[in-house]
Amino acid sequence: MQTDNSNVNLSTVSDIIVALQTILCSRATIPDLETPYSRTTFPNPNHCAIELKDQSISAIITERQHQLEALSHDISGLQTVMDGIHTLQQQLFEQKNKIIESINLHKRLVSPLWRLPTEVLSQIFCHCLPQIPELDQLRRPSKLTAPMLLTKICRRWREIAVGMPNLWCVLCVESDDRNWQQATFFYDTWLKRARGRPLSLRLHFYSDVHSTKLRHLIQPYVNQISSLSVGCYYASSDTPEHNIFSNLLALQEMSVYIYTYIPGDNMPAIFRVGGWSFDSDEVSSCNPVWAHLTSLSIRVREAKAALHLLQLAPNLSLLMIRITFDDVQALGPFTHTNLQTLGIYCDYPDESGSQFCDLLDALSLPTLRVLYVYGVPEWPHEEFKAFLARSECPLESLIVHSGEETDEQQAEYLALIPSSLQFVSY
């Protein structure tokens, strides 16, 4: 009998099976154990040494001992054979699985899907990538979705997927205290597969302790990060730091979302007072990160910080900005030549609504096409008309969540704009 998995001879195994079946069809010979003493239930104390003429009791015992030894030897030998048969059975099962695997492999090879060129599969893999979730729905990568799923199908698919840097350029990172060392290895392996390509990262963390971990994680890739979304939870007593943005000189798009938890509240609130926002000094501290940005969503504390941010980010084409506090200051005039979409949210209209007017008076935006304004209690008609006249911008959409404009006001705006203007007021 062979014991090596690779040397199992099926014809020899068949012979063994036939021989075993023949043996099993026969019955083991059971010796006759009857003696004249077998019917004696209780020995006669007066005849304890009686012996037959042809056989003594001691001779019977000796014979039975030989029979027991022979039977024990047969049982041991049979157990060895059974163990060998069990091993042989395992070998046959393994060989069966390999044959099935070989059949499936060759069946796949005749399928058109498995004959697709690498270039075609690469294009298909790109379309398998899931849509990037909203920041509040952020989840770490799953093994059940691409690109991780593509590495689990077969060796060829894994080699193609791992060798495609553009599959690994987007990553959602959620920082917590559970298995962070293991998570770091996973995230780092993912980012290395991007092979120097521009990265789009979404970071979600809960305190400065976690932001420090994330900063260490992304440090080797700061020159690749072109898009960054940051969402974080802070207790009202926390003092958030802005160093996570330092040295991100390749950054082109950035969004910052802050969820501040105040004890006693059932739910966190977005952009609550006391959360993370930028004043003018903090905007300056992150320079020159702003220089290459083309898209930005952020929260600032006053109109002065918003204007300073525009000065430091000359390439911005889209800016969504929230103004929180009322800090009325004189603002010098400034012209931004690339901004096409501007959204301004005033968190506290009664306090920060005046800052919209201050910003409007200071700005000239000659390329502005879309303007969204939320939280201004009374629409500053004269200031806005002066802004249009000064900017001479091709404004196409004005979306206002404040006091309604009259038809007469809209007509005055149209007279100042060299293009058609769509009004949306609610």
Side-chain angles (χ1 to χ4, degrees):
M1 181 184 306
Q2 302 287 346
T3 58
D4 188 347
N5 292 358
S6 61
N7 295 325
V8 175
N9 189 313
L10 294 181
S11 61
T12 303
V13 171
S14 299
D15 295 339
I16 294 174
I17 293 174
V18 171
L20 288 174
Q21 288 175 336
T22 302
I23 294 172
L24 292 175
C25 289
S26 62
R27 295 185 178 181
T29 302
I30 301 176
D32 184 9
L33 303 179
E34 283 291 326
T35 67
Y37 303 101
S38 299
R39 298 183 182 88
T40 302
T41 305
F42 300 100
N44 188 335
N46 297 323
H47 302 86
C48 59
I50 298 177
E51 294 183 354
L52 296 179
K53 295 179 180 179
D54 56 347
Q55 190 176 30
S56 66
I57 293 177
S58 59
I60 293 174
I61 294 174
T62 300
E63 181 183 2
R64 294 293 182 269
Q65 189 66 41
H66 291 320
Q67 292 172 333
L68 180 61
E69 291 175 357
L71 187 59
S72 297
H73 182 269
D74 290 343
I75 292 174
S76 177
L78 182 60
Q79 185 62 52
T80 301
V81 172
M82 291 173 63
D83 292 341
I85 291 174
H86 178 72
T87 300
L88 180 60
Q89 183 186 40
Q90 294 300 316
Q91 295 174 6
L92 294 176
F93 276 130
E94 292 175 7
Q95 199 161 23
K96 175 185 176 182
N97 292 335
K98 290 181 179 179
I99 292 174
I100 294 175
E101 182 179 349
S102 178
I103 291 174
N104 293 334
L105 171 63
H106 289 83
K107 283 183 177 180
R108 289 196 297 265
L109 293 177
V110 300
S111 170
L113 175 63
W114 296 93
R115 294 200 303 270
L116 288 176
T118 299
E119 294 77 11
V120 175
L121 278 178
S122 298
Q123 291 296 320
I124 294 174
F125 287 179
C126 290
H127 290 286
C128 291
L129 293 175
Q131 292 184 346
I132 302 176
E134 296 297 329
L135 197 65
D136 58 356
Q137 298 174 340
L138 181 146
R139 295 292 183 273
R140 61 186 62 185
S142 171
K143 295 180 180 179
L144 302 179
T145 59
M148 291 296 295
L149 180 61
L150 300 174
T151 66
K152 306 295 181 182
I153 305 303
C154 66
R155 181 181 299 176
R156 183 184 178 219
W157 281 32
R158 176 178 174 81
E159 291 175 352
I160 294 174
V162 172
M164 292 179 60
N166 54 326
L167 294 184
W168 310 94
C169 292
V170 178
L171 178 62
C172 297
V173 179
E174 185 172 5
S175 171
D176 55 33
D177 289 327
R178 296 169 297 176
N179 300 322
W180 177 244
Q181 185 174 2
Q182 180 179 353
T184 300
F185 178 79
F186 172 79
Y187 293 137
D188 189 56
T189 301
W190 181 294
L191 294 174
K192 284 178 179 177
R193 289 176 179 175
R195 298 180 185 177
R197 301 288 179 87
L199 297 174
S200 177
L201 299 186
R202 293 196 166 197
L203 310 180
H204 200 193
F205 56 95
Y206 297 88
S207 68
D208 281 338
V209 174
H210 293 161
S211 68
T212 301
K213 291 180 179 180
L214 288 175
R215 197 164 59 250
H216 291 159
L217 172 67
I218 67 176
Q219 183 59 41
Y221 308 98
V222 291
N223 294 328
Q224 297 174 236
I225 301 174
S226 63
S227 177
L228 178 66
S229 293
V230 177
C232 55
Y233 282 84
Y234 277 96
S236 59
S237 59
D238 287 345
T239 304
E241 60 177 52
H242 304 82
N243 292 336
I244 195 169
F245 304 117
S246 61
N247 300 323
L248 299 178
L249 302 184
L251 202 60
Q252 296 182 9
E253 299 179 355
M254 186 172 78
S255 299
V256 182
Y257 299 85
I258 309 302
Y259 306 81
T260 304
Y261 174 76
I262 295 180
D265 286 1
N266 293 326
M267 293 291 292
I270 302 177
F271 299 110
R272 185 186 296 276
V273 174
W276 192 4
S277 59
F278 288 78
D279 60 22
S280 295
D281 292 337
E282 290 163 340
V283 167
S284 297
S285 69
C286 292
N287 195 42
V289 170
W290 315 114
H292 303 285
L293 287 180
T294 59
S295 176
L296 175 63
S297 175
I298 199 170
R299 175 192 181 199
V300 296
R301 292 183 184 145
E302 69 275 331
K304 179 182 177 182
L307 186 64
H308 188 39
L309 182 60
L310 285 168
Q311 293 169 342
L312 295 176
N315 293 309
L316 275 181
S317 63
L318 182 149
L319 174 62
M320 295 294 176
I321 195 164
R322 299 185 79 112
I323 302 176
T324 301
F325 299 116
D326 188 17
D327 184 18
V328 179
Q329 295 180 349
L331 302 178
F334 176 71
T335 300
H336 196 289
T337 58
N338 289 314
L339 195 64
Q340 298 183 29
T341 301
L342 174 62
I344 299 179
Y345 305 74
C346 296
D347 281 342
Y348 297 90
D350 294 338
E351 300 175 358
S352 58
S354 62
Q355 295 200 56
F356 172 67
C357 295
D358 297 336
L359 194 57
L360 205 61
D361 287 340
L363 279 177
S364 295
L365 303 175
T367 58
L368 188 66
R369 294 181 178 275
V370 178
L371 177 62
Y372 178 91
V373 182
Y374 176 90
V376 177
E378 183 176 352
W379 181 248
H381 170 63
E382 293 299 330
E383 290 86 349
F384 185 66
K385 190 168 65 169
F387 165 78
L388 291 179
R390 184 173 61 252
S391 297
E392 297 182 350
C393 57
L395 192 65
E396 299 173 354
S397 296
L398 174 60
I399 305 169
V400 179
H401 187 277
S402 65
E404 294 185 1
E405 302 79 27
T406 65
D407 292 339
E408 292 77 8
Q409 290 176 336
Q410 295 179 11
E412 292 183 46
Y413 300 154
L414 288 172
L416 298 170
I417 297 174
S419 62
S420 60
L421 177 62
Q422 177 182 7
F423 291 92
V424 178
S425 181
Y426 60 97

